[in-house]
Amino acid sequence: YCLSAHAVQDIRMAFCNVNFKTGELITPEMAQKLLSQAIANLRETKSHDCKRVALYLENRIKGLTPATSKTYQK
């Protein structure tokens, strides 16, 4: 399994409302952890495009996790 595939999986999971493996709601903390893992994995790849996506996510992580927080609170 390559790093970019793991990153995509983590990003998708971060934006889902429910962890499909456990049935639990994704907390804002879990979403931030998943996005941070995705960023780390994307930075490890040799792909320039993956590194650009990592930078994009890193610059927006503070704005992305509140969206999951609102869903979690509801």
Side-chain angles (χ1 to χ4, degrees):
Y1 218 153
C2 67
L3 292 172
S4 58
H6 277 294
V8 169
Q9 186 177 16
D10 286 342
I11 293 166
R12 284 182 178 159
M13 180 78 86
F15 290 114
C16 287
N17 297 329
V18 176
N19 181 329
F20 294 115
K21 294 179 184 175
T22 66
E24 297 176 334
L25 290 175
I26 301 292
T27 65
E29 294 80 18
M30 290 168 68
Q32 187 159 2
K33 181 180 176 185
L34 288 164
L35 288 172
S36 295
Q37 288 173 335
I39 291 167
N41 282 335
L42 289 169
R43 287 192 178 279
E44 291 290 320
T45 67
K46 295 181 182 181
S47 168
H48 177 69
D49 290 337
C50 286
K51 290 179 182 186
R52 287 179 58 201
V53 171
L55 180 61
Y56 177 86
L57 289 172
E58 189 172 46
N59 288 334
R60 285 156 182 78
I61 195 166
K62 289 184 181 181
L64 293 171
T65 50
T68 59
S69 177
K70 287 181 183 178
T71 303
Y72 185 73
Q73 290 172 0
K74 289 181 181 182

